[in-house]
Amino acid sequence: MGAKLAVVIHAEEEFDWDGGFFRSNSDVTHHVELINLIQAMMHLGAHVTLAMDYPFVTSAGGQLVIRYCKEQSEGIIEFASHLHPWVNPPFDEPVQGDEISNQYSYPGNLSYELEYKKLQVLTNKIEEVTGHRPVTYLAGRYGIGANTQDILSALGYKVDLSISAFSNFTHQQGPDFSQYNNAIFFQNNITYLPHTCCRIARFRWLSHWLQNHPSSLNGRGVMSRIVKKLLGIVTYRLSPEGANLDELIRAASHQIAMGYEHMVLSFHSPSAKQGKTPYVHTHEDKLRFDSVTLEFIEWFMCQPGAEMYTPSQLSNPVLTTLEEQHV
């Protein structure tokens, strides 16, 4: 069986990533660049999942992207949901002026009632604008919590993309995914497809061991950094944001060698336009971002048995038995 790639775009508003979380951040001005990039990816054979938040779905720019995507062939585009609590009504969480705290920027830290209401509003709006009720969810900042699974089931979701393999966000009041690798798993009627992130070591046997023991060597201290350097341990996220083409190919090749055939290539929609994310400051950054994205898809499509997919195609639990979660 060949490798399979989903392209997942975090379709969202533009904001200062280092400047806090403000309800007034609702601009979507990158729609032309995003449409051009989606068109180029699809020309290479990519299927695209737009995981959309409330400002994206309700903005004029976002709706132009949606209109373009609706004109594409069935099965090529999936409309999913992406919850940014600070810009998604109802606005009942604590605020200081226009800003919400870092804690409540993670939807999983909200009360059950508020997380449910916010996702319900977003889900209904996506259905209204696209004509399709979303069944795939991506929490803003990967922020799932204790109540998220029940909420997803109650709202009819089938797939969750929120897990970021090998990652730990507890230092900023977020979730801890350090016990997860990239394997798909099925739990309480939800299929979990982690965002692809891999840990590679100098020795092949150690790479295998780290893949099956993802919580190992996760320390942030000096000794942990020294050990990782000595063993040549590096971590790659499968994203053109902050990675070059060689690194993406190395990460994908590693996943294929490890037997994890379902991969997710992801990025944030504002990166399609210069100056809208930390990854694309300059014109040269923009050229590099587009080139890496498209050349990686082109490389992937040349691999034996390569296929493109959208996450909703994994909602059948029978499919998830192909890979087992190692924790």
Side-chain angles (χ1 to χ4, degrees):
M1 298 179 67
K4 299 173 177 61
L5 182 69
V7 177
V8 176
I9 302 174
H10 300 214
E12 59 192 36
E13 75 286 355
E14 299 146 11
F15 62 98
D16 180 358
W17 286 31
D18 297 317
F21 304 97
F22 294 89
R23 290 177 177 170
S24 56
N25 290 335
S26 58
D27 290 344
V28 177
T29 67
H30 55 278
H31 53 284
V32 173
E33 292 83 358
L34 183 58
I35 289 172
N36 290 339
L37 183 55
I38 291 172
Q39 185 177 45
M41 291 191 295
M42 290 193 302
H43 179 73
L44 294 173
H47 295 188
V48 175
T49 297
L50 278 179
M52 305 179 293
D53 75 356
Y54 193 82
F56 191 91
V57 172
T58 57
S59 66
Q63 290 185 4
L64 286 173
V65 178
I66 292 169
R67 186 181 309 166
Y68 169 77
C69 290
K70 287 175 67 175
E71 296 171 354
Q72 307 311 310
S73 300
E74 188 74 21
I76 300 298
I77 300 286
E78 179 180 356
F79 296 114
S81 63
H82 182 46
L83 179 56
H84 278 187
W86 59 95
V87 286
N88 197 122
F91 299 115
D92 296 333
E93 64 270 47
V95 295
Q96 291 184 336
D98 185 40
E99 184 179 10
I100 73 167
S101 67
N102 187 61
Q103 177 184 0
Y104 292 120
S105 69
Y106 291 98
N109 289 338
L110 302 173
S111 68
Y112 178 98
E113 292 76 15
L114 188 53
E115 186 181 2
Y116 179 93
K117 288 177 182 178
K118 283 180 179 287
L119 185 53
Q120 182 183 47
V121 167
L122 176 59
T123 303
N124 291 342
K125 180 58 68 173
I126 291 173
E127 182 176 24
E128 174 189 328
V129 174
T130 68
H132 300 273
R133 190 167 181 85
V135 297
T136 298
Y137 177 62
L138 169 59
R141 309 195 74 197
Y142 311 100
I144 54 175
N147 299 314
T148 306
Q149 188 175 88
D150 289 342
I151 292 170
L152 292 179
S153 294
L155 291 173
Y157 283 87
K158 303 297 183 183
V159 180
D160 190 337
L161 304 175
S162 306
I163 291 173
S164 179
F166 299 98
S167 302
N168 186 349
F169 303 109
T170 55
H171 63 288
Q172 52 190 23
Q173 298 177 285
D176 181 4
F177 299 126
S178 59
Q179 71 273 32
Y180 293 94
N181 56 31
N182 296 286
I184 300 169
F185 65 100
F186 184 77
Q187 188 176 79
N188 295 340
N189 298 316
I190 302 292
T191 299
Y192 287 87
L193 172 64
H195 266 51
T196 303
C197 188
C198 62
R199 189 165 287 164
I200 305 174
R202 180 173 292 117
F203 308 105
R204 185 176 177 84
W205 66 265
L206 182 56
S207 294
H208 278 270
W209 189 86
L210 290 170
Q211 186 74 30
N212 295 329
H213 300 83
S215 59
S216 302
L217 300 178
N218 277 327
R220 295 176 175 271
V222 174
M223 286 304 300
S224 179
R225 291 198 296 270
I226 292 174
V227 170
K228 289 177 183 177
K229 186 173 182 177
L230 289 173
L231 296 176
I233 298 172
V234 293
T235 302
Y236 295 124
R237 178 181 295 277
L238 198 64
S239 172
E241 295 174 326
N244 60 40
L245 180 61
D246 288 342
E247 290 169 338
L248 293 187
I249 291 175
R250 186 183 184 198
S253 299
H254 174 268
Q255 288 305 288
I256 295 170
M258 295 294 106
Y260 295 100
E261 61 181 30
H262 289 88
M263 290 179 281
V264 174
L265 177 73
S266 65
F267 60 87
H268 301 82
S269 64
S271 285
K273 185 175 182 178
Q274 177 184 336
K276 298 304 178 182
T277 69
Y279 303 106
V280 185
H281 283 299
T282 66
H283 177 64
E284 289 72 23
D285 290 339
K286 165 63 176 169
L287 294 176
R288 183 207 64 80
F289 175 81
D290 287 353
S291 174
V292 169
T293 303
L294 298 176
E295 288 182 35
F296 174 76
I297 292 172
E298 192 170 22
W299 170 87
F300 178 84
M301 293 302 294
C302 292
Q303 303 313 298
E307 296 179 25
M308 289 287 179
Y309 73 101
T310 55
S312 63
Q313 295 171 336
L314 299 175
S315 59
N316 183 346
V318 173
L319 295 176
T320 67
T321 62
L322 298 174
E323 298 167 359
E324 295 180 358
Q325 180 65 41
H326 303 288
V327 297

